[in-house]
């Protein structure tokens, strides 16, 4: 396919390089210093797991003109930035497919309003990364351990009948990228809302309350407790809207007794890869974290006391919580039943880390 990657940040760079390696005709849109870096160095990727460094040359463009024609535009950027480029995308009528790979708590209505539902696809990149100079440090899949990119039609209703020819075409393009696969979903909007609930009004502000230090957060039990309760409140917000927990594995956060869930979450937070998966992005994208938290809370119609306690820490002027604080009593109900389930999560930090980041935990063409 002829593909334009709109957004030359860490993940846009990752996808552009991998799709080019997969035999596609790829361009990447960049400006400023990033434009100069890409023209001079190409896309330099450093895999934080394998320590392998690669250089891939792709065509670099400075704009999307109304007459430009691509088979697919991939928009991979922060939600608040993506909204700003909708007029540019709308002015180009020669590209039939625009896939937004990003967090989104408000649903696809604004995207559809700007472009028309026949052009919009929504999904999530299921990778992580950060940039230092011209080098992108990334956490993604390999040929031995692929990650699957969930995506689907923006107006799909979850009944499994809304998989189109163009969805399959885009899936084939994603699957051509080394280390990536495609997971076609018919409930992508719900998937995205639960992913936002998992991170942005909950773990995100808890991380800021710990000075954006995942190890300090793990050692501060009160913040881990509040983060867990905030996740559960977020899930209840979505359940109250008639949206089932999606993907189903997230039900772990609801049924695992609090003391066990806190321990598992603390263990996950000490995974060394968490710096790439969570901390670097939290530091670089406070504006997006704030935007998504506000977007999510705008739809809340039930009380959210834990989220409300964490919300002030989205403001960088709010002082962090003292390290090690453990004053909030744990809720011990259901502990005995939960002990039997503990065997299923004894992978603990490793399994939950994958669930938090999305790495390696989706399968192709599942609802």
């Amino acid at each position: 396919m002829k593909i334009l990657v709109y957004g030359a940040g860490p993940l846009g760079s990752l996808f552009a390089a991998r799709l080019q390696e997969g035999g596609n005709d790829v361009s990447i849109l960049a400006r400023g210093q990033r434009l100069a870096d890409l023209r001079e160095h190409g896309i330099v990727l450093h895999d934080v797991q394998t320590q392998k460094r690669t250089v891939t040359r792709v065509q670099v463009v400075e704009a999307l003109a109304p007459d430009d024609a691509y088979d697919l535009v991939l928009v991979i950027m922060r939600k608040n930035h993506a909204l700003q480029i909708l007029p540019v995308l709308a002015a180009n009528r020669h590209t039939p497919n625009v896939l937004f790979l990003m967090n989104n708590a408000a649903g696809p209505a604004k995207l559809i309003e700007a472009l028309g539902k026949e052009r919009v696809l929504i999904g999530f990149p299921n990778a992580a990364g950060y940039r230092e100079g011209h080098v992108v440090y990334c956490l993604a899949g390999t040929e031995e351990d692929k990650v699957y990119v969930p995506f689907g039609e923006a107006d799909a209703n979850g009944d499994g009948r809304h998989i189109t020819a163009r969805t399959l075409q885009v899936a084939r393009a994603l699957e051509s990228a080394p280390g990536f696969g495609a997971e076609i979903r018919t409930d992508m909007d719900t998937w995205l809302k639960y992913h936002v609930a998992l991170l942005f009004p909950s773990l995100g502000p808890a991380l800021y309350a710990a000075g954006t230090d995942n190890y300090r957060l793990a050692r501060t039990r009160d913040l881990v407790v509040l983060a867990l309760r905030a996740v559960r409140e977020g899930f209840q917000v979505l359940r109250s809207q008639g949206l089932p927990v999606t993907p189903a594995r997230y039900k772990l956060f609801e049924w695992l007794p609090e003391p066990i869930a806190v321990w598992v979450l603390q263990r996950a937070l000490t995974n060394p890869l968490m710096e790439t998966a969570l901390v670097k992005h939290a530091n670089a994208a406070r504006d997006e974290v704030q935007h998504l938290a506000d977007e999510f809370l705008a739809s809340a119609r039930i009380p959210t006391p834990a989220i409300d306690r964490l919300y002030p820490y989205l403001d960088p002027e709010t002082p962090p919580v003292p390290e090690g604080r453990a004053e909030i009593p744990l809720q011990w109900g259901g502990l005995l039943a939960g002990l039997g389930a503990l065997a299923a999560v004894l992978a603990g930090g490793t399994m939950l880390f994958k669930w938090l980041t999305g790495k390696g935990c989706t399968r192709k063409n599942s609802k």
Side-chain angles (χ1 to χ4, degrees), residues 199-223:
L199 293 174
F200 293 95
S202 45
L203 281 166
L207 183 63
Y208 293 140
T212 325
D213 183 331
N214 54 303
Y215 295 101
R216 181 176 172 179
L217 174 56
R219 294 190 296 266
T220 307
R221 196 190 72 186
D222 278 0
L223 287 177

Side-chain angles (χ1 to χ4, degrees), residues 175-194:
E175 290 173 340
S176 73
F180 284 103
E183 181 200 16
I184 299 173
R185 298 196 68 96
T186 60
D187 57 357
M188 196 63 223
D189 179 38
T190 301
W191 191 106
L192 287 168
K193 287 174 178 174
Y194 272 95

Side-chain angles (χ1 to χ4, degrees), residues 31-318:
R31 297 189 179 92
Q33 184 59 49
R34 186 60 179 151
L35 174 68
D37 286 343
L38 288 169
R39 285 178 170 167
E40 179 179 355
H41 303 285
I43 298 176
V44 183
L45 299 178
H46 185 100
D47 190 305
V48 299
Q49 295 188 95
T50 66
Q51 301 305 313
K52 180 181 178 181
R53 184 169 290 198
T54 60
V55 179
T56 306
R57 294 282 178 178
V58 304
Q59 182 176 348
V60 185
V61 300
E62 298 182 56
L64 173 64
D67 293 334
D68 290 340
Y70 297 92
D71 299 312
L72 172 67
V73 172
L74 282 183
V75 178
I76 308 178
M77 59 177 64
R78 303 173 196 175
K79 167 70 184 292
N80 47 323
H81 293 177
L83 293 176
Q84 297 171 10
I85 68 167
L86 289 180
V88 176
L89 296 169
N92 178 281
R93 302 299 302 179
H94 298 280
T95 299
N97 306 304
V98 182
L99 171 55
F100 293 85
L101 294 180
M102 63 186 188
N103 286 294
N104 189 352
K110 287 187 177 180
L111 312 180
I112 292 173
E113 180 182 356
L115 305 181
K117 68 179 181 180
E118 72 281 357
R119 297 180 66 197
V120 175
L121 294 156
I122 57 174
F124 187 74
N126 254 359
Y130 63 94
R131 186 163 53 86
E132 290 185 353
H134 67 275
V135 179
V136 170
Y137 293 83
C138 58
L139 177 62
T142 65
E143 284 303 281
E144 296 75 28
D145 184 22
K146 289 187 178 184
V147 294
Y148 288 84
V149 178
F151 81 102
E153 297 285 344
D155 64 339
N157 57 15
D159 62 8
R161 294 176 293 181
H162 205 88
I163 297 177
T164 64
R166 64 114 174 222
T167 313
L168 297 172
Q169 181 187 24
V170 172
R172 286 192 293 271
L174 293 172
E175 290 173 340
S176 73
F180 284 103
E183 181 200 16
I184 299 173
R185 298 196 68 96
T186 60
D187 57 357
M188 196 63 223
D189 179 38
T190 301
W191 191 106
L192 287 168
K193 287 174 178 174
Y194 272 95
H195 188 263
V196 168
L198 178 65
L199 293 174
F200 293 95
S202 45
L203 281 166
L207 183 63
Y208 293 140
T212 325
D213 183 331
N214 54 303
Y215 295 101
R216 181 176 172 179
L217 174 56
R219 294 190 296 266
T220 307
R221 196 190 72 186
D222 278 0
L223 287 177
V224 179
V225 171
L226 285 174
L228 176 65
R229 293 179 184 178
V231 168
R232 290 175 169 176
E233 288 174 1
F235 287 9
Q236 285 302 309
V237 166
L238 296 173
R239 279 188 177 275
S240 72
Q241 298 168 11
L243 302 176
V245 176
T246 305
R249 63 180 176 271
Y250 282 0
K251 292 179 182 178
L252 167 75
F253 291 95
E254 294 186 316
W255 57 254
L256 200 61
E258 186 170 271
I260 297 176
V262 166
W263 174 79
V264 172
L265 186 53
Q266 286 174 312
R267 189 173 176 185
L269 287 165
T270 60
N271 188 310
L273 294 177
M274 193 62 75
E275 182 178 13
T276 302
L278 189 63
V279 175
K280 290 287 188 179
H281 182 73
N283 268 323
R286 290 190 81 120
D287 59 329
E288 184 194 31
V289 176
Q290 179 78 63
H291 178 94
L292 289 165
D294 288 342
E295 199 172 70
F296 182 84
L297 290 172
S299 69
R301 298 293 181 267
I302 62 174
T304 54
I307 291 176
D308 295 344
R309 287 185 65 175
L310 288 172
Y311 185 87
Y313 295 100
L314 293 170
D315 183 347
E317 300 299 318
T318 304

